[in-house]
Amino acid sequence: MTALNAVNRRMVAVAALAASAALTLTGCSAGQISQTADQVAAVNGNSADVEKIALRNVHIVFPGNGYTNVKGEKALIALSIVNLSETVADELTSVDTDLGPVKITPPAGQSAFALKPQQNVVTATAPAGAAAADSHGADSHGDSHGAPTTTAKPATDDPAANPALIEITGLTKDITPGLTYKVRFNFKNNGTVVVDVPVDAADTERKVTDKSGPAEEGHGGGGH
């Protein structure tokens, strides 16, 4: 019996140590959240894939810089196009939508909208030079629909300064925030994909925030 009691005591001691270790590990991890848990992609637009081509953050840009999004005028489509293939290049040959004709402008220095293997091409959210013109007090004025326009700087051969553009011209109807519009992207090697494209409303939120100005920032700030 003495030997059996000794074995039992050792088993109880081992169990106690295991329980203590489990509690310690639980305490160390309490309150921690894995980096991938419940994360939401910080994008305004939609996503789609066709074969080895990935489209990300596809959206119609909020009116500005000459794009009014109203019937008869222009709208701008922005997105990121990634060629996931490691060996085969591709080309965006055309874009179609019931909203109107679509004009594709490749990045500077390219005669076609080419996609090299593993290349990511991000289309512009404004014409070349528009952002710089805004920040340096260029001639800005409203058009007949009240949307701001700017005088863009001359185009250059620098792809970073003059990136690709995808423009809808001669809109068949007004584009309304909160709705999505079907747009078809046609690739030379990877085929065609149709995307339900939303309208970016982020610029509206920023304009509302900007109107408050520094004087408004202090309201309600105390006691939180």
Side-chain angles (χ1 to χ4, degrees):
M1 294 298 292
T2 302
L4 182 58
N5 289 338
V7 171
N8 288 338
R9 285 196 295 270
R10 283 196 295 271
M11 293 178 63
V12 171
V14 170
L17 288 172
S20 176
L23 289 173
T24 301
L25 290 173
T26 302
C28 290
S29 61
Q32 294 183 357
I33 303 174
S34 67
Q35 292 182 350
T36 57
D38 300 324
Q39 284 190 348
V40 178
V43 298
N44 298 311
N46 210 342
S47 299
D49 299 281
V50 54
E51 300 295 335
K52 292 294 185 179
I53 296 295
L55 308 183
R56 296 293 180 263
N57 195 20
V58 188
H59 63 280
I60 296 173
V61 178
F62 196 82
N65 297 311
Y67 298 96
T68 62
N69 292 8
V70 299
K71 183 177 179 180
E73 299 196 20
K74 296 192 301 180
L76 185 65
I77 298 176
L79 76 157
S80 174
I81 308 176
V82 186
N83 183 1
L84 300 174
S85 174
E86 297 181 356
T87 57
V88 181
D90 205 346
E91 177 186 333
L92 177 64
T93 57
S94 63
V95 179
D96 305 300
T97 176
D98 292 339
L99 291 171
V102 180
K103 177 184 177 182
I104 298 176
T105 303
Q110 295 186 16
S111 59
F113 202 116
L115 298 161
K116 298 177 182 178
Q118 298 289 294
Q119 184 180 16
N120 178 14
V121 176
V122 180
T123 65
T125 57
D134 286 342
S135 63
H136 291 86
D139 180 22
S140 299
H141 55 85
D143 60 14
S144 59
H145 298 276
T149 59
T150 60
T151 302
K153 293 182 178 180
T156 70
D157 290 331
D158 180 8
N162 191 26
L165 285 174
I166 300 179
E167 303 167 286
I168 308 173
T169 62
L171 287 168
T172 58
K173 58 184 176 181
D174 293 352
I175 292 177
T176 305
L179 301 180
T180 60
Y181 300 89
K182 291 189 179 299
V183 179
R184 183 169 53 250
F185 296 85
N186 305 301
F187 295 91
K188 185 175 182 179
N189 296 322
N190 284 275
T192 296
V193 61
V194 178
V195 186
D196 290 322
V197 181
V199 181
D200 181 21
D203 285 349
T204 303
E205 296 172 1
R206 283 194 291 269
K207 287 175 183 177
V208 171
T209 302
D210 290 344
K211 287 180 181 179
S212 62
E216 297 291 333
E217 293 178 358
H219 289 309
H224 293 290

